[in-house]
């Protein structure tokens, strides 16, 4: 115990034991079974839903928000909250468009600048929240508005479209968006489960004071988690801009809510300390399957949103019921 404290690694943040790992696998299996059940219901009710292309369409449509939600998962596990990722998404899209169209930069350099922009926005969120002591909800709500304004200023009067083919390949078709989604989930999953900093996210989210007393650099870690959230928002933005072949400051609106919804539906706790990125991907797939399935049944978007809202409330209710007593 003393050795763990001296190394700054609390017991909660140690690599998962075999029993804990099996518990995580069972949880993922339960969420996956829910996805299969929902898919089966729409498969039985809607003939167009039975086309194999429907599955790839669902995965492709889910991929962009799932990439963004991977970063949101890290922030929520650590006990944080980021409402600004949708606006960061918009800023990065416009920045990448400007780099490609106005400055005619090489595709790789425009992408690097876009990723750096998203990471820097997330870094600012973390720094402000940590050193001001203002609740994350307020800080990132302010960020949501501020970054949205920046996106509008940068994109005003700009025709940011018709990008090079080498850029468009990132978002075209099924293969690249889905591959980037799974690659993002794999990288974030390895970070959370197999690195000290990732393990610290669970410790901080589980009990911040205990983590601090155990030697975890809570402030520094939080800034890094918000930076990762901004970076993943930037990754999602680049894929969407590539797919649509244009960039607009209006993109990304309410994306943060869908990301949080997917994370919660997937079983990550809003209170921190529990969750995983694999379940987030499945949670986003559940949401997209419901949206597509209801659309195929002729149900309007208003009812689709009501259905998703009810599921979110139910997921949070179950999370509160399962929350350990302290």
């Amino acid at each position: 115990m003393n050795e763990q404290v001296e190394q700054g690694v609390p017991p909660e943040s140690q690599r998962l034991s075999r029993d804990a790992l099996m518990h995580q696998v069972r949880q993922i299996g339960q969420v996956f079974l829910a996805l299969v059940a929902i898919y089966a219901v729409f498969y039985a009710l809607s003939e167009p839903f039975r086309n194999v292309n429907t599955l790839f369409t669902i995965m492709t449509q889910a991929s962009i928000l799932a990439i963004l939600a991977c970063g949101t998962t890290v922030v929520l596990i650590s006990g944080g909250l980021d409402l600004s990722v949708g606006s960061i998404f918009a800023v990065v899209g416009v920045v990448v468009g400007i780099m490609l169209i106005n400055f005619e930069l090489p595709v790789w350099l425009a992408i690097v600048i876009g990723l750096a922009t998203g990471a820097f926005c997330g870094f600012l969120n973390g720094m402000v929240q940590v050193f001001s002591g203002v609740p994350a909800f307020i800080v990132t709500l302010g960020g949501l508005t501020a970054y949205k304004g920046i996106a509008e200023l940068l994109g005003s009067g700009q025709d940011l479209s018709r990008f090079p083919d080498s850029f468009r390949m990132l978002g075209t078709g099924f293969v690249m968006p889905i591959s980037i989604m799974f690659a993002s989930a794999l990288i974030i999953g390895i970070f959370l489960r197999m690195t000290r900093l990732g393990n610290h996210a669970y410790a901080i989210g589980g009990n911040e004071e205990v983590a601090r007393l155990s030697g975890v650099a809570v402030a520094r870690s939080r800034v890094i988690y918000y930076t990762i959230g901004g970076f993943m928002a930037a990754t999602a933005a680049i894929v969407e801009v590539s797919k649509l072949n244009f960039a607009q400051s209006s993109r990304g609106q309410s994306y943060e809510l869908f990301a949080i919804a997917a994370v919660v539906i997937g079983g990550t706790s809003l209170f921190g300390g529990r969750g995983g990125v694999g379940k987030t991907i499945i949670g986003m797939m559940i949401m997209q399957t419901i949206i597509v399935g209801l659309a195929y049944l002729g149900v309007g978007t208003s009812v689709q949103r009501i259905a998703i809202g009810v599921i979110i409330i139910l997921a949070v209710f179950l999370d509160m019921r399962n929350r350990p007593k302290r």
Side-chain angles (χ1 to χ4, degrees):
M1 176 68 180
N2 291 335
E3 181 180 351
Q4 290 173 339
V5 172
E6 289 173 2
Q7 293 177 350
V9 185
E12 298 94 330
S13 68
Q14 295 303 300
R15 185 171 298 181
L16 292 176
S17 66
R18 181 176 299 179
D19 290 343
L21 181 59
M22 290 305 299
H23 178 67
Q24 291 291 330
V25 171
R26 285 195 296 270
Q27 284 187 325
I28 292 176
Q30 291 170 357
V31 180
F32 182 75
L33 286 176
L35 171 61
V36 172
I38 293 170
Y39 192 91
V41 169
F42 288 115
Y43 188 92
L45 294 177
S46 173
E47 185 173 345
F49 200 85
R50 300 168 192 169
N51 191 314
V52 67
N53 286 333
T54 299
L55 177 59
F56 288 107
T57 298
I58 290 172
M59 294 179 69
T60 304
Q61 292 179 353
S63 61
I64 293 172
L65 281 173
I67 294 167
L68 185 150
C70 286
T72 301
T73 302
V74 176
V75 174
L76 286 179
I77 286 174
S78 69
L81 178 67
D82 193 347
L83 298 177
S84 70
V85 287
S87 296
I88 293 175
F89 184 104
V91 170
V92 171
V94 172
V95 166
V96 170
I98 290 173
M99 294 300 107
L100 290 172
I101 300 301
N102 294 359
F103 292 95
E104 299 183 352
L105 294 183
V107 169
W108 69 268
L109 183 54
I111 291 174
V112 168
I113 292 173
L115 293 174
T117 299
F120 181 69
C121 291
F123 172 80
L124 285 180
N125 285 342
M127 291 290 286
V128 172
Q129 196 277 315
V130 165
F131 291 104
S132 71
V134 176
F137 176 86
I138 301 300
V139 170
T140 58
L141 182 61
L144 181 154
T145 304
Y147 294 140
K148 184 65 175 176
I150 291 172
E152 291 172 350
L153 286 174
L154 292 174
S156 178
Q158 302 267 18
D159 179 17
L160 304 175
S161 61
R162 299 180 295 277
F163 301 119
D165 291 340
S166 57
F167 177 73
R168 292 197 61 199
M169 65 178 291
L170 290 174
T172 302
F174 298 140
V175 176
M176 285 303 293
I178 294 174
S179 298
I180 294 172
M181 174 182 70
F182 283 120
S184 299
L186 178 62
I187 293 170
I188 296 297
I190 291 174
F191 166 77
L192 285 171
R193 297 300 185 184
M194 298 185 180
T195 69
R196 178 177 295 183
L197 184 61
N199 288 332
H200 285 175
Y202 291 94
I204 295 170
N207 193 316
E208 181 177 331
E209 188 59 28
V210 170
R212 181 178 288 107
L213 292 175
S214 299
V216 174
V218 173
R220 183 185 66 184
S221 298
R222 282 202 182 281
V223 172
I224 294 174
Y225 302 144
Y226 280 102
T227 302
I228 292 172
F231 182 89
M232 296 311 300
T235 304
I238 290 168
V239 175
E240 182 178 88
V241 169
S242 170
K243 178 181 180 179
L244 299 178
N245 200 25
F246 68 85
Q248 284 183 336
S249 60
S250 59
R251 304 302 302 178
Q253 184 174 357
S254 298
Y255 279 16
E256 64 281 345
L257 301 182
F258 281 99
I260 293 172
V263 174
V264 173
I265 290 172
T268 293
S269 175
L270 272 177
F271 305 102
R274 293 188 292 112
V277 73
K279 292 183 287 185
T280 293
I281 299 297
I282 299 174
M284 186 61 75
M285 289 288 294
I286 288 175
M287 287 179 57
Q288 198 61 47
T289 299
I290 292 172
I291 291 171
V292 173
L294 291 177
Y296 277 13
L297 293 175
V299 177
T301 56
S302 297
V303 178
Q304 294 173 26
R305 290 173 179 172
I306 292 172
I308 296 297
V310 170
I311 292 173
I312 292 169
I313 294 172
L314 178 61
V316 175
F317 171 74
L318 293 175
D319 179 33
M320 293 177 65
R321 288 286 300 273
N322 295 328
R323 187 184 182 190
K325 301 295 183 182
R326 294 176 183 172

PDB file of all heavy atoms in Angstrom, residues 151-171:
ATOM      1  N   ALA A 151     -16.254  30.104 -34.387  1.00  0.00           N
ATOM      2  CA  ALA A 151     -16.532  29.401 -35.646  1.00  0.00           C
ATOM      3  C   ALA A 151     -17.306  30.287 -36.613  1.00  0.00           C
ATOM      4  O   ALA A 151     -17.026  30.318 -37.821  1.00  0.00           O
ATOM      5  CB  ALA A 151     -17.315  28.122 -35.362  1.00  0.00           C
ATOM      6  N   GLU A 152     -18.270  31.038 -36.091  1.00  0.00           N
ATOM      7  CA  GLU A 152     -19.063  31.927 -36.947  1.00  0.00           C
ATOM      8  C   GLU A 152     -18.221  33.068 -37.501  1.00  0.00           C
ATOM      9  O   GLU A 152     -18.360  33.448 -38.672  1.00  0.00           O
ATOM     10  CB  GLU A 152     -20.253  32.475 -36.162  1.00  0.00           C
ATOM     11  CG  GLU A 152     -21.295  31.408 -35.832  1.00  0.00           C
ATOM     12  CD  GLU A 152     -22.378  31.914 -34.901  1.00  0.00           C
ATOM     13  OE1 GLU A 152     -22.207  33.042 -34.353  1.00  0.00           O
ATOM     14  OE2 GLU A 152     -23.379  31.196 -34.692  1.00  0.00           O
ATOM     15  N   LEU A 153     -17.325  33.612 -36.675  1.00  0.00           N
ATOM     16  CA  LEU A 153     -16.446  34.684 -37.150  1.00  0.00           C
ATOM     17  C   LEU A 153     -15.506  34.187 -38.243  1.00  0.00           C
ATOM     18  O   LEU A 153     -15.313  34.852 -39.273  1.00  0.00           O
ATOM     19  CB  LEU A 153     -15.630  35.251 -35.985  1.00  0.00           C
ATOM     20  CG  LEU A 153     -16.370  36.149 -34.995  1.00  0.00           C
ATOM     21  CD1 LEU A 153     -15.458  36.510 -33.827  1.00  0.00           C
ATOM     22  CD2 LEU A 153     -16.855  37.431 -35.693  1.00  0.00           C
ATOM     23  N   LEU A 154     -14.927  33.021 -38.035  1.00  0.00           N
ATOM     24  CA  LEU A 154     -13.986  32.483 -39.015  1.00  0.00           C
ATOM     25  C   LEU A 154     -14.671  32.065 -40.310  1.00  0.00           C
ATOM     26  O   LEU A 154     -14.118  32.238 -41.399  1.00  0.00           O
ATOM     27  CB  LEU A 154     -13.256  31.267 -38.418  1.00  0.00           C
ATOM     28  CG  LEU A 154     -12.293  31.537 -37.268  1.00  0.00           C
ATOM     29  CD1 LEU A 154     -11.763  30.212 -36.706  1.00  0.00           C
ATOM     30  CD2 LEU A 154     -11.133  32.418 -37.733  1.00  0.00           C
ATOM     31  N   GLY A 155     -15.892  31.524 -40.182  1.00  0.00           N
ATOM     32  CA  GLY A 155     -16.570  30.992 -41.355  1.00  0.00           C
ATOM     33  C   GLY A 155     -17.468  31.976 -42.070  1.00  0.00           C
ATOM     34  O   GLY A 155     -18.011  31.663 -43.141  1.00  0.00           O
ATOM     35  N   SER A 156     -17.638  33.176 -41.532  1.00  0.00           N
ATOM     36  CA  SER A 156     -18.551  34.152 -42.125  1.00  0.00           C
ATOM     37  C   SER A 156     -18.125  34.527 -43.542  1.00  0.00           C
ATOM     38  O   SER A 156     -17.001  34.968 -43.778  1.00  0.00           O
ATOM     39  CB  SER A 156     -18.599  35.417 -41.263  1.00  0.00           C
ATOM     40  OG  SER A 156     -19.439  36.386 -41.832  1.00  0.00           O
ATOM     41  N   GLY A 157     -19.042  34.347 -44.483  1.00  0.00           N
ATOM     42  CA  GLY A 157     -18.787  34.729 -45.871  1.00  0.00           C
ATOM     43  C   GLY A 157     -17.828  33.832 -46.616  1.00  0.00           C
ATOM     44  O   GLY A 157     -17.423  34.151 -47.743  1.00  0.00           O
ATOM     45  N   GLN A 158     -17.461  32.709 -46.018  1.00  0.00           N
ATOM     46  CA  GLN A 158     -16.494  31.808 -46.639  1.00  0.00           C
ATOM     47  C   GLN A 158     -17.207  30.695 -47.411  1.00  0.00           C
ATOM     48  O   GLN A 158     -18.201  30.150 -46.946  1.00  0.00           O
ATOM     49  CB  GLN A 158     -15.602  31.168 -45.566  1.00  0.00           C
ATOM     50  CG  GLN A 158     -14.851  32.162 -44.715  1.00  0.00           C
ATOM     51  CD  GLN A 158     -13.471  32.441 -45.284  1.00  0.00           C
ATOM     52  OE1 GLN A 158     -13.189  32.167 -46.443  1.00  0.00           O
ATOM     53  NE2 GLN A 158     -12.605  32.984 -44.454  1.00  0.00           N
ATOM     54  N   ASP A 159     -16.667  30.369 -48.580  1.00  0.00           N
ATOM     55  CA  ASP A 159     -17.132  29.202 -49.336  1.00  0.00           C
ATOM     56  C   ASP A 159     -16.103  28.092 -49.137  1.00  0.00           C
ATOM     57  O   ASP A 159     -15.126  27.989 -49.871  1.00  0.00           O
ATOM     58  CB  ASP A 159     -17.281  29.533 -50.819  1.00  0.00           C
ATOM     59  CG  ASP A 159     -17.739  28.321 -51.646  1.00  0.00           C
ATOM     60  OD1 ASP A 159     -18.229  27.350 -51.036  1.00  0.00           O
ATOM     61  OD2 ASP A 159     -17.592  28.353 -52.877  1.00  0.00           O
ATOM     62  N   LEU A 160     -16.331  27.289 -48.126  1.00  0.00           N
ATOM     63  CA  LEU A 160     -15.375  26.249 -47.765  1.00  0.00           C
ATOM     64  C   LEU A 160     -15.899  24.903 -48.243  1.00  0.00           C
ATOM     65  O   LEU A 160     -16.540  24.146 -47.511  1.00  0.00           O
ATOM     66  CB  LEU A 160     -15.162  26.240 -46.252  1.00  0.00           C
ATOM     67  CG  LEU A 160     -14.718  27.582 -45.635  1.00  0.00           C
ATOM     68  CD1 LEU A 160     -14.649  27.480 -44.118  1.00  0.00           C
ATOM     69  CD2 LEU A 160     -13.372  28.010 -46.210  1.00  0.00           C
ATOM     70  N   SER A 161     -15.647  24.617 -49.506  1.00  0.00           N
ATOM     71  CA  SER A 161     -16.159  23.388 -50.104  1.00  0.00           C
ATOM     72  C   SER A 161     -15.231  22.942 -51.233  1.00  0.00           C
ATOM     73  O   SER A 161     -14.259  23.611 -51.558  1.00  0.00           O
ATOM     74  CB  SER A 161     -17.579  23.607 -50.643  1.00  0.00           C
ATOM     75  OG  SER A 161     -17.579  24.612 -51.642  1.00  0.00           O
ATOM     76  N   ARG A 162     -15.575  21.764 -51.788  1.00  0.00           N
ATOM     77  CA  ARG A 162     -14.809  21.187 -52.907  1.00  0.00           C
ATOM     78  C   ARG A 162     -13.333  20.993 -52.534  1.00  0.00           C
ATOM     79  O   ARG A 162     -12.440  21.613 -53.082  1.00  0.00           O
ATOM     80  CB  ARG A 162     -14.947  22.058 -54.164  1.00  0.00           C
ATOM     81  CG  ARG A 162     -16.388  22.169 -54.655  1.00  0.00           C
ATOM     82  CD  ARG A 162     -16.497  23.020 -55.898  1.00  0.00           C
ATOM     83  NE  ARG A 162     -16.128  24.402 -55.641  1.00  0.00           N
ATOM     84  CZ  ARG A 162     -16.946  25.302 -55.134  1.00  0.00           C
ATOM     85  NH1 ARG A 162     -18.186  24.979 -54.814  1.00  0.00           N
ATOM     86  NH2 ARG A 162     -16.541  26.546 -54.927  1.00  0.00           N
ATOM     87  N   PHE A 163     -13.143  20.084 -51.591  1.00  0.00           N
ATOM     88  CA  PHE A 163     -11.809  19.806 -51.084  1.00  0.00           C
ATOM     89  C   PHE A 163     -11.073  18.808 -51.981  1.00  0.00           C
ATOM     90  O   PHE A 163     -11.696  18.097 -52.780  1.00  0.00           O
ATOM     91  CB  PHE A 163     -11.897  19.262 -49.655  1.00  0.00           C
ATOM     92  CG  PHE A 163     -12.562  20.201 -48.697  1.00  0.00           C
ATOM     93  CD1 PHE A 163     -13.723  19.841 -48.033  1.00  0.00           C
ATOM     94  CD2 PHE A 163     -12.034  21.462 -48.466  1.00  0.00           C
ATOM     95  CE1 PHE A 163     -14.339  20.710 -47.155  1.00  0.00           C
ATOM     96  CE2 PHE A 163     -12.634  22.345 -47.582  1.00  0.00           C
ATOM     97  CZ  PHE A 163     -13.792  21.971 -46.931  1.00  0.00           C
ATOM     98  N   PRO A 164      -9.746  18.712 -51.820  1.00  0.00           N
ATOM     99  CA  PRO A 164      -8.975  17.752 -52.628  1.00  0.00           C
ATOM    100  C   PRO A 164      -9.430  16.315 -52.396  1.00  0.00           C
ATOM    101  O   PRO A 164      -9.888  15.960 -51.308  1.00  0.00           O
ATOM    102  CB  PRO A 164      -7.529  17.962 -52.125  1.00  0.00           C
ATOM    103  CG  PRO A 164      -7.525  19.327 -51.534  1.00  0.00           C
ATOM    104  CD  PRO A 164      -8.889  19.540 -50.968  1.00  0.00           C
ATOM    105  N   ASP A 165      -9.303  15.491 -53.426  1.00  0.00           N
ATOM    106  CA  ASP A 165      -9.726  14.090 -53.321  1.00  0.00           C
ATOM    107  C   ASP A 165      -8.968  13.340 -52.231  1.00  0.00           C
ATOM    108  O   ASP A 165      -9.527  12.444 -51.583  1.00  0.00           O
ATOM    109  CB  ASP A 165      -9.522  13.384 -54.664  1.00  0.00           C
ATOM    110  CG  ASP A 165     -10.481  13.896 -55.728  1.00  0.00           C
ATOM    111  OD1 ASP A 165     -11.518  14.486 -55.363  1.00  0.00           O
ATOM    112  OD2 ASP A 165     -10.191  13.707 -56.929  1.00  0.00           O
ATOM    113  N   SER A 166      -7.709  13.700 -52.027  1.00  0.00           N
ATOM    114  CA  SER A 166      -6.908  13.024 -51.001  1.00  0.00           C
ATOM    115  C   SER A 166      -7.442  13.294 -49.598  1.00  0.00           C
ATOM    116  O   SER A 166      -7.214  12.501 -48.679  1.00  0.00           O
ATOM    117  CB  SER A 166      -5.447  13.470 -51.094  1.00  0.00           C
ATOM    118  OG  SER A 166      -5.340  14.881 -50.962  1.00  0.00           O
ATOM    119  N   PHE A 167      -8.156  14.391 -49.429  1.00  0.00           N
ATOM    120  CA  PHE A 167      -8.789  14.688 -48.144  1.00  0.00           C
ATOM    121  C   PHE A 167     -10.149  14.010 -48.051  1.00  0.00           C
ATOM    122  O   PHE A 167     -10.515  13.469 -47.006  1.00  0.00           O
ATOM    123  CB  PHE A 167      -8.944  16.198 -47.974  1.00  0.00           C
ATOM    124  CG  PHE A 167      -9.656  16.598 -46.708  1.00  0.00           C
ATOM    125  CD1 PHE A 167      -9.031  16.495 -45.474  1.00  0.00           C
ATOM    126  CD2 PHE A 167     -10.966  17.069 -46.745  1.00  0.00           C
ATOM    127  CE1 PHE A 167      -9.689  16.857 -44.302  1.00  0.00           C
ATOM    128  CE2 PHE A 167     -11.629  17.440 -45.589  1.00  0.00           C
ATOM    129  CZ  PHE A 167     -10.982  17.327 -44.364  1.00  0.00           C
ATOM    130  N   ARG A 168     -10.874  13.997 -49.132  1.00  0.00           N
ATOM    131  CA  ARG A 168     -12.230  13.464 -49.136  1.00  0.00           C
ATOM    132  C   ARG A 168     -12.273  11.959 -48.858  1.00  0.00           C
ATOM    133  O   ARG A 168     -13.280  11.442 -48.381  1.00  0.00           O
ATOM    134  CB  ARG A 168     -12.906  13.744 -50.472  1.00  0.00           C
ATOM    135  CG  ARG A 168     -13.191  15.221 -50.732  1.00  0.00           C
ATOM    136  CD  ARG A 168     -14.202  15.373 -51.838  1.00  0.00           C
ATOM    137  NE  ARG A 168     -15.465  14.738 -51.475  1.00  0.00           N
ATOM    138  CZ  ARG A 168     -16.399  14.394 -52.367  1.00  0.00           C
ATOM    139  NH1 ARG A 168     -16.199  14.618 -53.652  1.00  0.00           N
ATOM    140  NH2 ARG A 168     -17.517  13.836 -51.966  1.00  0.00           N
ATOM    141  N   MET A 169     -11.185  11.275 -49.126  1.00  0.00           N
ATOM    142  CA  MET A 169     -11.176   9.826 -48.927  1.00  0.00           C
ATOM    143  C   MET A 169     -11.353   9.444 -47.451  1.00  0.00           C
ATOM    144  O   MET A 169     -11.755   8.327 -47.139  1.00  0.00           O
ATOM    145  CB  MET A 169      -9.861   9.234 -49.452  1.00  0.00           C
ATOM    146  CG  MET A 169      -8.623   9.676 -48.695  1.00  0.00           C
ATOM    147  SD  MET A 169      -7.107   8.899 -49.319  1.00  0.00           S
ATOM    148  CE  MET A 169      -7.365   7.215 -48.802  1.00  0.00           C
ATOM    149  N   LEU A 170     -11.090  10.386 -46.535  1.00  0.00           N
ATOM    150  CA  LEU A 170     -11.237  10.092 -45.106  1.00  0.00           C
ATOM    151  C   LEU A 170     -12.681   9.820 -44.719  1.00  0.00           C
ATOM    152  O   LEU A 170     -12.944   9.051 -43.787  1.00  0.00           O
ATOM    153  CB  LEU A 170     -10.691  11.253 -44.274  1.00  0.00           C
ATOM    154  CG  LEU A 170      -9.189  11.479 -44.281  1.00  0.00           C
ATOM    155  CD1 LEU A 170      -8.842  12.752 -43.530  1.00  0.00           C
ATOM    156  CD2 LEU A 170      -8.474  10.283 -43.669  1.00  0.00           C
ATOM    157  N   GLY A 171     -13.624  10.460 -45.399  1.00  0.00           N
ATOM    158  CA  GLY A 171     -15.014  10.331 -44.999  1.00  0.00           C
ATOM    159  C   GLY A 171     -15.911   9.685 -46.030  1.00  0.00           C
ATOM    160  O   GLY A 171     -17.111   9.528 -45.802  1.00  0.00           O
TER     161      GLY A 171
END
